[in-house]
Amino acid sequence: MLPPRQGPGGQHLLLLLVLLLPSLPPTRAPVPPGPAAALLQALGLRDAPQGAPRLRPVPPVMWRLFRRRDPQETRSGSRRMSPGVTLQPCHVEELGVAGNIVRHIPDRGAPTRASDPASAVGHCPEWTVVFDLSAVESAERPSRARLELRFAAAAAPEGGWELSVSQAGQGMGAGPGPVLLRQLVPALGPPVRAELLGTAWARNASWPRSLRLALALRPRTPAACARLAEASLLLVTLDPRLCHPLARPRRDAEPVLGGGPGGACRARRLYVSFREVGWHRWVIAPRGFLANYCQGQCALPVTLSGSGGPPALNHAVLRALMHATAPGAADLPCCVPARLSPISVLFFDNSDNVVLRQYEDMVVDECGCR
């Protein structure tokens, strides 16, 4: 399933951007040819989400993680990071775990769940929650699976509540399985969080297509029952195929506006708009990013100076020298990316999950002669 056809401007941007992106080893059937499909493959997506997603608010935790992870956000205005502070690659600092993909997965069982019946004191209902995990790739390694629950209650009982989580039965009328975890809940004002990794499934187990859990919240002393208002799963995974070593801190120098092929080898400005390539309906943020590209001459004396960027390789200097003395003996070095940096993208997937994903080597920061 391919995304809709793009206009000529969007095709040109896609073709240029694909040349800058690293190729990802395929784990599925070969992607059909075309710039849009190649870009999706480089982004680690099987296909572009089709149609407009259901309108639902983006969870605040996803906004916070995006604004902290996105380099172009942290460099601007009040979000500028302190000098010398760099984010670790493939690590979610706010959650304290390794990872480069964060998903906020809503409960799919809520629409079919009947309203909680009036229950006698001490006989509170149980709820079944369902989370769709079909979008998780087999290569991803889980580092956090946090269940987040919001309850509505008239008053907190003395001693608080006890939350129990069990594996839900699969068939009609099937009861819950053994209890996976029990947790004391002092109050229901803030969201109730419970870590499922290591309890709902083992860390090294294969991904289930869906996760069905049975929940029960009972007061520790006689009191009115609470009502489950919302359930979600915050899932953090690490895809090692998209993880690169820590790069040097980003330079403050900005790329120049594109021009002719003349001049020194350096980064030229190229802004990619997600609206222009037709992805604005499912990409939440950013609206676009500076991909940039390399252009310029690598002849002497430019090659020796490094053009304000990283110094040219000795091999490039020798090639430029050989070309100057005997043009037919060697070609000039090429102006290519010498350092790239990542971007973070917040988007809706085909299951209407909110996904935060970090993509390495998406922005050309410096160019050099190679």
Side-chain angles (χ1 to χ4, degrees):
M1 182 168 56
L2 291 175
R5 293 175 60 89
Q6 315 296 338
Q11 287 283 344
H12 292 158
L13 276 176
L14 283 169
L15 285 169
L16 184 56
L17 184 56
V18 165
L19 295 176
L20 302 174
L21 294 175
S23 60
L24 188 65
T27 57
R28 297 177 173 269
V31 179
L39 180 56
L40 285 170
Q41 185 185 29
L43 294 179
L45 301 175
R46 285 170 284 181
D47 51 52
Q50 300 299 304
R54 293 181 301 171
L55 293 178
R56 68 183 184 92
V58 177
V61 63
M62 301 300 286
W63 277 121
R64 290 197 304 270
L65 291 174
F66 168 74
R67 287 168 177 151
R68 180 173 176 83
R69 294 299 307 174
D70 184 59
Q72 298 188 53
E73 279 273 325
T74 56
R75 283 201 307 156
S76 61
S78 61
R79 305 208 62 84
R80 186 180 297 272
M81 297 184 67
S82 302
V85 175
T86 57
L87 294 174
Q88 297 182 47
C90 299
H91 192 269
V92 185
E93 280 80 2
E94 185 164 331
L95 301 178
V97 295
N100 49 15
I101 305 172
V102 184
R103 293 179 175 90
H104 187 273
I105 305 174
D107 169 31
R108 301 298 179 189
T112 60
R113 188 164 51 238
S115 299
D116 298 337
S119 303
V121 172
H123 296 82
C124 295
E126 293 185 348
W127 308 279
T128 298
V129 294
V130 182
F131 301 110
D132 181 6
L133 305 179
S134 59
V136 182
E137 298 281 351
S138 59
E140 297 179 37
R141 303 170 185 171
S143 57
R144 172 147 295 180
R146 191 171 75 186
L147 180 65
E148 299 194 350
L149 308 171
R150 291 183 181 275
F151 293 96
E158 184 178 351
W161 313 76
E162 182 184 74
L163 171 69
S164 65
V165 181
S166 310
Q167 199 78 38
Q170 296 296 326
M172 292 294 295
V179 175
L180 301 173
L181 66 88
R182 296 184 188 274
Q183 181 173 311
L184 177 64
V185 180
L188 299 181
V192 177
R193 299 184 173 97
E195 179 58 44
L196 300 180
L197 196 59
T199 56
W201 69 86
R203 290 179 179 269
N204 56 356
S206 59
W207 288 104
R209 298 290 293 176
S210 66
L211 180 65
R212 295 172 55 87
L213 300 174
L215 309 178
L217 185 74
R218 296 181 173 89
R220 293 170 62 85
T221 57
C225 296
R227 179 178 60 85
L228 178 63
E230 182 183 349
S232 61
L233 181 68
L234 187 69
L235 182 64
V236 183
T237 61
L238 174 66
D239 189 339
R241 301 169 299 175
L242 305 177
C243 204
H244 288 198
L246 183 63
R248 291 180 293 131
R250 183 192 292 265
R251 287 162 49 92
D252 291 332
E254 296 291 339
V256 298
L257 293 176
C265 170
R266 64 182 305 175
R268 312 284 173 163
R269 183 185 177 93
L270 171 65
Y271 182 78
V272 176
S273 167
F274 287 124
R275 174 173 290 276
E276 192 165 340
V277 299
W279 292 359
H280 59 287
R281 286 182 295 273
W282 54 276
V283 174
I284 303 169
R287 296 180 179 178
F289 69 100
L290 283 172
N292 305 329
Y293 65 100
C294 294
Q295 188 180 64
Q297 296 180 353
C298 285
L300 294 175
V302 173
T303 307
L304 291 173
S305 65
S307 307
L313 297 178
N314 291 338
H315 181 265
V317 176
L318 290 175
R319 283 179 58 187
L321 181 60
M322 285 289 295
H323 183 82
T325 56
D331 294 330
L332 280 172
C334 298
C335 182
V336 297
R339 189 169 66 87
L340 300 101
S341 58
I343 66 167
S344 292
V345 180
L346 191 65
F347 62 93
F348 290 105
D349 65 10
N350 271 323
S351 299
D352 287 333
N353 301 321
V354 178
V355 182
L356 174 64
R357 193 160 184 161
Q358 177 141 332
Y359 300 105
E360 302 291 335
D361 296 344
M362 292 289 285
V363 178
V364 175
D365 290 325
E366 293 179 356
C367 301
C369 295
R370 300 288 188 267

